[in-house]
Amino acid sequence: MLQLNFEPFPNLETERLFLRRVNNSDVKEIFQLRSDPETMKYIPRPLLKNTEDALEHIANIDAKITTQEGINWAITLKGSQKLIGIIGHYRIRLENYRAEIGYMLLPQFRGKQIIPEAIKQVVKYGFEEMKLHSIEAIIDPANLASEKVLQKNGFKKEAHLKENEFYEGRFLDTVIYSLLNK
């Protein structure tokens, strides 16, 4: 079984990006991300209502790092500490050497190839440092932008699950993409 240790926290870098630990100073941007109905359109989770909710979300991110259940990075542009998005490995299943990748980006930064660049680095960390065998992404089938990003990063469609999640009074489909460590 995998053994993980995220201490010290592993900052990651790409050509344009610096991925660092999310902290309480990111509260405004976390609130902006998780309270915007358009940004959350394909994520079946409640919208944050206030900064207290955002601080609780940040605390939850930290707790998952401590318990080795997940790791999230703040996406920042090099030379700036401002969070513009978030990316990470969720639902790490140590016994299966598998994790789920997830990501979000503030609307004004979309279309600039930031997420594909961040995914590449987070996948590399997952395979090389965490020793994962596979990484999955679970998306809404209507989220065509996310589908394209995953395909661009080598992920393959594994399944389309019909009405497998119940949220806010309705059943939702999900699509699973995955990437194997080769």
Side-chain angles (χ1 to χ4, degrees):
M1 187 177 330
L2 280 180
Q3 297 291 318
L4 300 177
N5 183 4
F6 300 131
E7 297 296 334
F9 187 84
N11 294 322
L12 305 176
E13 286 187 56
T14 69
E15 185 179 326
R16 300 180 297 159
L17 308 174
F18 185 72
L19 308 179
R20 61 162 174 81
R21 192 168 190 155
V22 177
N23 60 57
N24 285 347
S25 67
D26 300 315
V27 66
K28 180 180 157 211
E29 290 79 16
I30 292 290
F31 178 71
Q32 189 179 352
L33 273 172
R34 307 274 315 188
S35 67
D36 177 26
E38 187 59 30
T39 300
M40 294 292 290
K41 181 165 133 180
Y42 300 117
I43 301 172
R45 301 286 179 269
L47 296 177
L48 299 184
K49 294 177 177 54
N50 50 47
T51 54
E52 289 76 26
D53 286 352
L55 287 169
E56 188 176 313
H57 186 71
I58 292 168
N60 187 35
I61 288 170
D62 263 346
K64 296 227 181 291
I65 291 169
T66 303
T67 61
Q68 312 299 307
E69 295 174 66
I71 182 169
N72 282 280
W73 289 269
I75 301 171
T76 67
L77 296 172
K78 280 188 176 174
S80 171
Q81 281 295 304
K82 184 181 180 216
L83 181 148
I84 62 169
I86 191 164
I87 189 167
H89 291 293
Y90 304 82
R91 297 183 191 134
I92 298 171
R93 293 188 301 282
L94 298 173
E95 68 281 7
N96 295 323
Y97 295 74
R98 189 170 175 101
E100 177 185 344
I101 194 169
Y103 40 84
M104 311 177 70
L105 195 63
L106 290 169
Q108 62 267 35
F109 295 97
R110 292 186 193 137
K112 300 177 186 319
Q113 300 303 306
I114 290 170
I115 290 296
E117 188 173 327
I119 286 175
K120 184 176 181 183
Q121 195 64 28
V122 169
V123 163
K124 180 180 178 188
Y125 178 83
F127 288 151
E128 293 180 4
E129 303 300 325
M130 293 171 64
K131 307 298 184 203
L132 295 171
H133 174 69
S134 60
I135 298 172
E136 68 184 9
I138 300 172
I139 65 169
D140 183 310
N143 191 345
L144 301 179
S146 191
E147 182 178 55
K148 283 182 185 176
V149 162
L150 291 168
Q151 290 170 345
K152 180 178 184 167
N153 278 276
F155 283 74
K156 303 290 182 217
K157 186 176 180 177
E158 280 191 348
H160 184 136
L161 305 173
K162 298 285 190 179
E163 298 183 3
N164 70 308
E165 190 169 340
F166 187 75
Y167 183 72
E168 292 187 336
R170 61 192 177 104
F171 289 96
L172 306 173
D173 287 8
T174 57
V175 173
I176 301 173
Y177 274 82
S178 75
L179 184 63
L180 296 175
N181 186 3
K182 295 184 179 184

